Amino acid sequence: QVHGIVRRSSSFNTGRIEHLYKNPQAHIEGNMKLHYGDLTDSTCLVKIINEVKPSEIYNLGAQSHVKISFDLAEYTADVDGVGTLRLLDAIKTCGLINSVKFYQASTSELFGKVQEIPQKETTPFYPRSPYGAAKLYAYWIVVNFREAYNLFAVNGILFNHESPRRGSNFVTRKISRSVAKIHLGQLDCFSLGNLDAKRDWGHARDYVEAMWLMLQTDEPEDFVIATGEVHSVREFVEKSFKHIGKTIVWEGKNENEVGRCKETGKVHVTVNHKYYRPTEVDFLQGDCTKARQKLNWKPRVTFDELVREMVEADVELMRNNPNA
């Protein structure tokens, strides 16, 4: 049985779990229940946790857009940092310290200006955004509760994980959606920021399995989850277009750079400085040796398969609903 907390919104905000609503085993039989709540409201968290009395809690709630965190710095700190403390305090208030296992969605953005390549559990942190800084507080407060109260609490330091359900304002999904629209004749061109930012991209399906595995161990420990492979935003663009039969050729430099279709001569990609971060994270590469050894975990979905799945899913989505 799974309970989830959903924020009240004036617009419909459960689209990414629509497939669960339609699954009779998950929803109609009562195995999935949603509660209105918010990480900024400690009273509601205590009420929900006391009512549900969960055996496992996965804190995946956050203002998770790094670029937007510069504009919403205080809100990001409140939700991503103090929100984690509110959840931990709610566990303590409800007397569940000895019965609940707690997973904190930590992030590769903790490493920011990387001090070591690749990054592993012992690599020093150097966050480069309000998001990263807020998540750093959350990381250490989880460690503190583990050591102070003997709570089974772990940090999953997950590198970028994507899927067709990724939010449309994240760069990978922006690329796959735009490429799908270009393929269907609904769009000519789209803009991106730093094409040379390099990331360790994996599939969310693999990474969620790793989250679960962390809570099935005998002792709580923190783990880096990553593929160990690095690809640039530029490469994500090229592979996305390749799946619709287009070859992108790059011309120009810096903000004047464009991605042109070799077959048609049309410009499909431009660079816009507004998408750059004030402090950039240029390179992230994870070392998941500990997870391989202790959790027997390894990524199954390759980078090529991930890109193809996202593009094909968005082609199908845009074909059926051009205004999605």
Side-chain angles (χ1 to χ4, degrees), residues 103 119-122 155-159 206-207 209-215 217 221-228 286-299:
Y103 173 86
Q119 296 90 55
K120 51 183 182 287
E121 290 82 4
T122 56
N155 286 290
I157 307 173
L158 272 54
F159 281 64
D206 289 340
Y207 286 43
E209 181 190 23
M211 297 178 195
W212 179 79
L213 285 170
M214 285 180 218
L215 295 195
T217 58
E221 292 185 72
D222 304 324
F223 289 91
V224 162
I225 301 298
T227 69
D287 178 355
C288 67
T289 301
K290 181 180 175 182
R292 286 178 183 269
Q293 293 173 347
K294 294 199 171 186
L295 302 177
N296 196 28
W297 178 88
K298 63 179 180 180

Side-chain angles (χ1 to χ4, degrees), residues 120-245:
K120 51 183 182 287
E121 290 82 4
T122 56
T123 301
F125 298 131
Y126 195 141
R128 296 267 282 173
S129 64
Y131 169 76
K135 282 287 192 176
L136 185 57
Y137 174 85
Y139 173 92
W140 282 116
I141 203 64
V142 166
V143 172
N144 183 248
F145 267 67
R146 183 167 69 209
E147 295 176 352
Y149 305 111
N150 204 31
L151 172 67
F152 192 112
V154 304
N155 286 290
I157 307 173
L158 272 54
F159 281 64
N160 294 59
H161 41 290
E162 316 295 323
S163 85
R165 295 195 187 100
R166 181 56 123 167
S168 59
N169 60 347
F170 287 81
V171 66
T172 51
R173 187 74 195 289
K174 182 178 181 180
I175 293 168
S176 65
R177 279 168 57 94
S178 300
V179 168
K181 285 187 172 187
I182 288 169
H183 179 61
L184 296 170
Q186 299 168 4
L187 184 72
D188 290 325
C189 185
F190 64 100
S191 297
L192 296 171
N194 183 6
L195 294 170
D196 294 314
K198 294 181 172 64
R199 294 292 183 270
D200 184 329
W201 276 302
H203 197 294
R205 184 167 57 241
D206 289 340
Y207 286 43
V208 170
E209 181 190 23
M211 297 178 195
W212 179 79
L213 285 170
M214 285 180 218
L215 295 195
Q216 312 314 311
T217 58
D218 294 329
E219 295 293 329
E221 292 185 72
D222 304 324
F223 289 91
V224 162
I225 301 298
T227 69
E229 289 185 17
V230 176
H231 302 275
S232 66
V233 173
R234 186 187 301 275
E235 189 177 348
F236 203 104
V237 171
E238 292 168 355
K239 286 193 177 293
S240 297
F241 274 104
K242 184 180 177 184
H243 286 305
I244 62 164

Side-chain angles (χ1 to χ4, degrees), residues 63-73 76 80 109 128-132 169-171 174 192-194 199 272-281:
Q63 190 301 101
S64 60
H65 197 288
V66 178
K67 173 71 166 63
I68 292 172
S69 78
F70 287 93
D71 300 318
L72 298 177
T76 301
D80 301 11
E109 290 286 332
R128 296 267 282 173
S129 64
Y131 169 76
N169 60 347
F170 287 81
V171 66
K174 182 178 181 180
L192 296 171
N194 183 6
R199 294 292 183 270
N272 191 323
H273 196 71
K274 77 175 184 178
Y275 296 119
Y276 279 69
R277 304 177 187 177
T279 41
E280 187 61 64
V281 174

Side-chain angles (χ1 to χ4, degrees), residues 45-80:
L45 297 178
V46 170
K47 179 173 171 285
I48 294 167
I49 289 174
N50 190 53
E51 177 188 331
V52 173
K53 291 186 169 53
S55 55
E56 297 179 351
I57 294 177
Y58 295 83
N59 179 26
L60 312 182
Q63 190 301 101
S64 60
H65 197 288
V66 178
K67 173 71 166 63
I68 292 172
S69 78
F70 287 93
D71 300 318
L72 298 177
E74 182 184 337
Y75 174 74
T76 301
D78 193 20
V79 174
D80 301 11

Side-chain angles (χ1 to χ4, degrees), residues 259-322:
R260 191 183 298 277
C261 176
K262 182 179 178 182
E263 289 77 16
T264 65
K266 289 184 178 179
V267 171
H268 289 315
V269 186
T270 60
V271 174
N272 191 323
H273 196 71
K274 77 175 184 178
Y275 296 119
Y276 279 69
R277 304 177 187 177
T279 41
E280 187 61 64
V281 174
D282 296 313
F283 186 96
L284 292 173
Q285 180 182 18
D287 178 355
C288 67
T289 301
K290 181 180 175 182
R292 286 178 183 269
Q293 293 173 347
K294 294 199 171 186
L295 302 177
N296 196 28
W297 178 88
K298 63 179 180 180
R300 296 189 181 95
V301 183
T302 67
F303 179 70
D304 279 5
E305 289 168 342
L306 169 65
V307 176
R308 185 189 308 114
E309 182 183 334
M310 290 183 69
V311 171
E312 287 179 352
D314 273 328
V315 168
E316 188 69 18
L317 176 67
M318 298 304 162
R319 180 180 284 127
N320 296 328
N321 187 6

Side-chain angles (χ1 to χ4, degrees), residues 4-10 13 34-49 59-63 74-80 82-88 90:
I5 296 178
V6 59
R7 278 175 297 131
R8 166 72 183 104
S9 172
S10 58
N13 65 348
L34 298 180
H35 307 259
Y36 281 112
D38 200 293
L39 284 168
T40 63
D41 186 341
S42 55
T43 304
C44 81
L45 297 178
V46 170
K47 179 173 171 285
I48 294 167
I49 289 174
N59 179 26
L60 312 182
Q63 190 301 101
E74 182 184 337
Y75 174 74
T76 301
D78 193 20
V79 174
D80 301 11
V82 183
T84 303
L85 173 62
R86 292 188 186 102
L87 265 179
L88 292 167

